[in-house]
């Protein structure tokens, strides 16, 4: 009786492990595309003069090569996207793609942004974008308060 009980527990454990992996497989036996990590960074303008440019980048890491839609959200504000990111093998066993965008800054800003891949339930860290625009080059170089 004990042997049958332990055999049933062992069978249930193997079946549970196998079913979790089976859900991760697509037709043909290959795993579904999964986002493993999502990171974002913004390089704010290095000057107090506006207009100026900031650089936004989002890095998408996946379990295999593929296309991932991402969105960019402002904290307490708007969401833009989707932006398609194509991931490729990096040569060290990981897959990564990069979304890059130049942001034109025309007025003072102090905001936070994050990237998301909702289909994969992944969010990046919040990152700041700051620009004081104390020197408005469009207004004859007049110092602004």
């Amino acid at each position: 009786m004990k042997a049958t009980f332990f055999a049933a527990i062992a069978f249930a454990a193997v079946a549970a492990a196998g079913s979790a992996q089976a859900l991760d497989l697509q037709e043909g036996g290959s795993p579904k595309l999964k986002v493993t990590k999502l990171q974002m960074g913004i390089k704010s303008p290095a000057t107090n003069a506006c207009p100026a440019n900031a650089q936004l980048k989002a890095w998408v890491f996946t379990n295999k090569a593929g296309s991932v839609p991402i969105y960019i959200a402002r904290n307490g504000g708007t969401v833009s996207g989707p932006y398609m990111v194509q991931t490729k093998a990096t040569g060290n066993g990981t897959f990564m793609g990069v979304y890059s965008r130049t942001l034109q800054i025309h007025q003072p800003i102090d905001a936070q942004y994050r990237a998301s891949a909702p289909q994969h339930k992944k969010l990046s860290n919040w990152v700041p974008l700051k620009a004081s625009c104390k020197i408005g080059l469009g207004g004859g170089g007049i110092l602004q308060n």
Side-chain angles (χ1 to χ4, degrees), residues 15-36:
S19 67
Q21 291 175 350
L23 295 175
D24 292 340
L25 296 179
Q26 288 182 325
E27 188 176 321
S30 66
K32 284 194 236 179
L33 179 68
K34 284 187 179 180
V35 173
T36 57

Side-chain angles (χ1 to χ4, degrees), residues 33-121:
L33 179 68
K34 284 187 179 180
V35 173
T36 57
K37 185 168 45 169
L38 183 58
Q39 292 180 302
M40 189 166 134
I42 297 177
K43 184 176 180 183
S44 294
T47 179
N48 289 331
C50 287
N53 291 332
Q55 295 295 320
L56 177 146
K57 285 192 179 185
W59 295 269
V60 180
F61 297 86
T62 58
N63 63 329
K64 67 178 196 173
S67 187
V68 177
I70 66 165
Y71 296 81
I72 307 296
R74 182 176 175 164
N75 193 2
T78 60
V79 177
S80 62
Y83 305 105
M84 298 307 288
V85 178
Q86 187 66 39
T87 62
K88 302 176 191 173
T90 62
N92 63 359
T94 61
F95 297 85
M96 183 186 73
V98 179
Y99 171 75
S100 182
R101 180 174 169 185
T102 299
L103 306 171
Q104 295 182 348
I105 310 299
H106 296 282
Q107 59 191 11
I109 187 168
D110 185 359
Q112 290 188 332
Y113 292 84
R114 89 173 351 165
S116 67
Q119 293 178 352
H120 300 274
K121 299 178 182 171

